[in-house]
Amino acid sequence: MTTSRAVTVAAADLGASSGRVMLARVGPDLLDLTEVHRFGNQSVQLGGTLHWDVLGLYRGVLDGLRAAGIAARSSGGLDGIGIDSWAVDYGLLDGTGALVGNPVSYRDRRTEGVMGKVLAQVGAEHLYAVTGLQNLPFNTIYQLVAARETPAAQAARRMLLLPDLLAYWLTGEEGAEITNASTTGLLDARSGGWATDLITGLGLPPKIFPPLRRPGDWVGLLRPDVAVETGLDEDVPVLAVGSHDTASAVVGVPAEGDRFAYISCGTWSLVGVELDAPVLTDASRQANFTNEAGVDGTVRYLRNVMGLWLLQECLRTWQAQGSPADLETLLREAAAQPPFASVVDPDDPVFLPPGDMPARIADYCSRTGQPVPSSRAAMARAILESLAIAHARAVRQAQELSGRSVEVVHMVGGGSRNELLCQLTADACGLPVTAGPVEATALGNALVQARALGAVSGGLSDLRSLLRKHNPLRGYAPQSTRGRDGSTAWARAEARVHG
């Protein structure tokens, strides 16, 4: 049942390079989104460890909530707050509720070699059968095992994933929202509860894992000091949303029906399909697909692909070298480059840490007997074609492994603005690509809040219908041609990467 009025909510969306607070006005026939505050997010190297500046993030959220409150005055004030962020990283609280050390970035090297040791102890087949999670060396399970003997871990009373840590500072209430908890490698994919036997078997204390929440649950009201700091009323609730940003982004996919794949494209590309139940087969494990919890009991069956990180790091490196590149010009020049001169595997571990990405790509091409890109435009073309190949491979495998056929690929997030990448992805997939909305994550966050507050009703299909009515979308038709042997140039390029 809906309320008689629209609601105004703040969606705090935190990414690995920046955060922002968006103000959304949502009603049965209303969906309006405005950015009110943006702030940077940079990891900090200290003593050989790569940390997040989580207090800086919290400061950014507080400033954003103050700006949201001011902007919402004309509509009667703020009705709710929701927070989403990237997955796997966490903070530890001691017995007083104080933070024990600064959270460590998933790109830190402390987990090197840990995944192999855990798999040798637990068994890769057993771990996947329990958690259904893609094996990535930075998953929370491996971070916790890597740190379990440290003084911080020994002092910990509670582990809170980053969105839940910020919600705790806002409200004083502890919990773990399930879409993010499902990325830890410590949640049972069938029962939806913490995998206690796995946790204890790895020597981790079960007491540090908080009660689970679901999207739409009430987290709590603002603490008095937070209300003073932000200028908001104490009765403004913080609501659980799909706190893993991909979970919110998938809510924000404007699909009709269920025969769609999604690509939430930013620093990472999350490529998959939406299912009703996990796929826990050995073939799924070997393909390194993950089963993560979605909103309304859905399963986000997907694979992480190293997304625009490669291009972002190239731009950062050129900037640091005193020779910045204009992205719009770079993409226009990349579109004019000859196709398939060189392709790389974006998921090669060499590309994971921050650093001189152009040099790494050049070295990869040299090692694999391919031409080294001769210009920045050629480098960008190689990155985007390689990413499109990875997108197409993941979409194809998601269909094969899940039995869910796909008729259209929805690309959302910042990458949906990249016209060259969208067209290349359509060509590589041989499927139409619908691009947008760019702000799928913030929209998904806001829609879940609005439904919890009674401003809209229905399931995901109803929320997506509202999205389609109020967001401009762009379509890209595949333009691939086949050679005499029946294969496409894309298939031949993929074979160069994956054999």
Side-chain angles (χ1 to χ4, degrees), residues 1-28:
M1 197 139 174
T2 58
T3 65
S4 58
R5 68 177 184 91
V7 295
T8 304
V9 298
D13 175 29
L14 309 179
S17 59
S18 67
R20 67 263 181 83
V21 175
M22 311 289 284
L23 188 70
R25 188 97 171 114
V26 188

Side-chain angles (χ1 to χ4, degrees), residues 24 38 144 149 212 270 353 373:
R38 181 176 287 267
L144 287 170
E149 303 301 329
L212 292 164
L270 294 307

